[in-house]
Amino acid sequence: MSYFDAASAAPLHPVARQALLASLDEGWADPSRLYREGRRARMLLDAAREATAEAVGCRPDELVFTPSGTRAVHAGVAGALAGRRRIGNHLIVSSVEHSSVLHSADMFEAGGGSVTQVPVLRTGAVTVESYEEALRPDTALACLQSANHEVGTEQPVAAVAEACRAAGVPLLVDAAQSLGWGPVEGGWSVLTGSAHKWGGPSGVGVLVVRKGVRFAAQGPVDERESGRAAGFENLPAIVAAAASLRAVRAEAAQEGERLRELTERIRARVPQLVPDVEVVGDPDRRLPGIVTFSCLYVDGEALLHALDREGFSVSSGSSCTSSTLTPSHVLRAMGVLTEGNVRVSLPMGAAEEDVERFLSVLPRAVAGVREKLGAPAPTTVVRAEELVVDALGKRCPIPVIELAKVIGDVPVGGTVRVLSDDEAARLDIPAWCEMRAQEYVGEEPADRGSAYVVRRLS
């Protein structure tokens, strides 16, 4: 089985496994106690903090360990906002942040705060100008991920941090995806990370608050972790997380170059091997191991199952792979196709022959899904130079498939009106037009659902 979903959780690094097993014997005691076992545990905790701080690029007393990366984000956002409540009640986030950041923003807004979501380019990147425009006198905090978890696009963190610094606003950086590859550059104020993203054990997060940043921890606190992460530390996991971070950093330069070549191979060859595919994300400013593409006329869940049967573990941002049945907020914000989406995220050590086998299997898997889907014969009514496609009651990608089948039946300049009650059609029909160089005229109300109007340009 080839595991290609490291962006969700990287396999446990061998060094992490060794450190975890060793610290189970040595680090089980309470590090706050003064007897021998407690002092030994404290030494392990201090060493882990120093090693992690060195990798992050901060002081050890600025870094605390949390029970997860999500908890680090929640604590970081809430504490930074509370610390600056006298400054204002305004929060800035990008539209492609991890759900932990967006959930924190939703809670803040529900409590009376004001939130600005900064849009992104089609590559998934924000612009510095968009953050500068969003800054206000009452802005308490801005958030920006270092790199996107779904498409791998790296964000201009250093430049955004400088713009925020000039305005006197702290910047919180979610560095979960990038921290294993290197420290985050720039004058950020708060940073979060998650050990299972870099090959450490799950259940360990990192929260860094720079000295001088106003921060007020929220919720019940105790004397542990500077009052910012209550509860008994999971010391064996923390030691393993620190050891694995140091280990992957030692390998990062060479392994990053190797994985970047493999993902570039996937980016270049998938469109050659599979028709009607769009590779998404920034082609240059991106993490080494992540490549994401969307296939027209494909059900994402069916494609993931087909690839799983062939021995490949990949993930998807398609709505049909989510329990909420809503399209990925990242793909939606980028304006790219949401159906038939595949994210390949290679772990360190991924074999070149596995990538080649994936490229040989993918065309057959996509063709099989498309064949099984079949597209029901569309019901059409001719109105002069317009066709009406009744796709009511049919889930995407079927409305898009039916649109593609009949676009050639109208003359250049003619229109196709697609009737659909599937929310995903609102995203996927404009994305299809962008990919196929047709004009998306717009959405109109209909008796049921909506009518999506497309004009044939070629």
Side-chain angles (χ1 to χ4, degrees):
M1 192 74 181
S2 298
Y3 181 76
F4 285 178
D5 194 22
S8 293
L12 192 66
H13 195 283
V15 169
R17 183 181 301 277
Q18 295 169 5
L20 181 63
L21 293 175
S23 56
L24 284 172
D25 292 330
E26 298 294 327
W28 50 268
D30 188 342
S32 67
R33 301 308 178 196
L34 299 180
Y35 42 72
R36 181 181 304 166
E37 294 86 356
R39 294 197 304 271
R40 185 184 300 125
R42 170 55 62 181
M43 290 176 61
L44 288 173
L45 180 58
D46 289 346
R49 196 184 314 278
E50 290 173 6
T52 306
E54 181 182 4
V56 170
C58 67
R59 293 170 37 162
D61 59 352
E62 294 174 328
L63 183 149
V64 300
F65 295 105
T66 66
S68 69
T70 293
R71 290 284 292 275
V73 167
H74 291 170
V77 172
L81 287 170
R84 287 174 49 84
R85 61 167 60 93
R86 293 185 180 180
I87 303 297
N89 209 28
H90 177 232
L91 169 66
I92 301 172
V93 299
S94 83
S95 57
V96 294
E97 293 298 310
H98 188 268
S99 58
S100 59
V101 174
L102 298 182
H103 291 162
S104 295
D106 290 342
M107 180 172 289
F108 178 64
E109 193 169 34
S114 173
V115 177
T116 296
Q117 273 202 19
V118 174
V120 296
L121 305 172
R122 193 173 174 85
T123 60
V126 303
T127 64
V128 180
E129 292 75 17
S130 63
Y131 265 77
E132 290 175 334
E133 293 170 2
L135 289 166
R136 306 187 327 206
D138 64 337
T139 301
L141 177 68
C143 299
L144 179 63
Q145 59 189 189
S146 55
N148 186 259
H149 50 293
E150 288 194 24
V151 299
T153 296
E154 293 180 326
Q155 301 290 3
V157 171
V160 170
E162 177 59 27
C164 290
R165 187 202 61 78
V169 174
L171 177 68
L172 182 150
V173 177
D174 171 17
Q177 287 298 334
S178 71
L179 208 51
W181 296 107
V184 178
E185 303 297 332
W188 48 266
S189 302
V190 182
L191 180 141
T192 64
S194 186
H196 75 277
K197 303 288 188 179
W198 67 64
S202 59
V204 179
V206 171
L207 171 62
V208 180
V209 181
R210 293 285 198 192
K211 292 295 181 183
V213 175
R214 294 180 180 178
F215 191 92
Q218 299 300 287
V221 299
D222 60 23
E223 72 282 1
R224 299 180 189 275
E225 295 302 299
S226 304
R228 293 173 182 169
F232 198 94
E233 298 94 343
N234 184 351
L235 187 52
I238 288 172
V239 170
S244 60
L245 181 57
R246 174 176 287 182
V248 298
R249 282 291 187 82
E251 307 163 358
Q254 182 175 354
E255 185 65 4
E257 183 177 348
R258 193 183 71 86
L259 291 185
R260 194 176 295 279
E261 190 280 326
L262 291 178
T263 52
E264 286 300 322
R265 191 181 307 182
I266 297 173
R267 287 180 63 87
R269 289 179 56 187
V270 164
Q272 299 171 355
L273 297 169
V274 182
D276 298 317
V277 164
E278 180 184 22
V279 181
V280 301
D282 194 292
D284 301 311
R285 290 183 53 84
R286 57 186 304 101
L287 291 175
I290 299 179
V291 56
T292 306
F293 53 90
S294 298
C295 307
L296 279 172
Y297 324 132
V298 167
D299 178 273
E301 183 176 13
L303 181 55
L304 262 59
H305 284 311
L307 290 171
D308 182 57
R309 287 192 295 270
E310 295 284 353
F312 292 98
S313 301
V314 298
S315 64
S316 173
S318 296
S319 60
C320 51
T321 63
S322 167
S323 59
T324 61
L325 294 180
T326 57
S328 155
H329 71 277
V330 171
L331 302 178
R332 182 172 65 240
M334 292 170 60
V336 299
L337 191 69
T338 65
E339 296 294 333
N341 177 263
V342 174
R343 180 187 68 183
V344 174
S345 49
L346 304 177
M348 288 189 171
E352 179 180 2
E353 53 267 29
D354 288 343
V355 171
E356 285 297 328
R357 191 169 69 86
F358 173 79
L359 290 170
S360 68
V361 162
L362 180 67
R364 182 172 67 252
V366 173
V369 171
R370 285 172 173 168
E371 182 179 0
K372 287 180 181 178
L373 271 178
T379 303
T380 60
V381 179
V382 179
R383 283 194 210 156
E385 294 190 338
E386 179 178 80
L387 283 177
V388 177
V389 174
D390 184 356
L392 293 168
K394 300 169 184 174
R395 291 187 53 77
C396 278
I398 298 303
V400 181
I401 291 174
E402 296 191 348
L403 166 62
K405 283 194 166 187
V406 302
I407 190 70
D409 294 341
V410 298
V412 172
T415 58
V416 175
R417 186 180 301 268
V418 182
L419 304 178
S420 176
D421 50 5
D422 181 11
E423 181 69 20
R426 181 172 287 115
L427 307 172
D428 288 350
I429 290 177
W432 179 89
C433 291
E434 178 76 19
M435 291 176 66
R436 304 311 296 267
Q438 307 297 344
E439 179 186 355
Y440 177 63
V441 178
E443 177 183 350
E444 299 176 357
D447 292 339
R448 287 177 55 203
S450 298
Y452 302 94
V453 183
V454 176
R455 177 173 289 111
R456 181 183 175 190
L457 297 182
S458 61

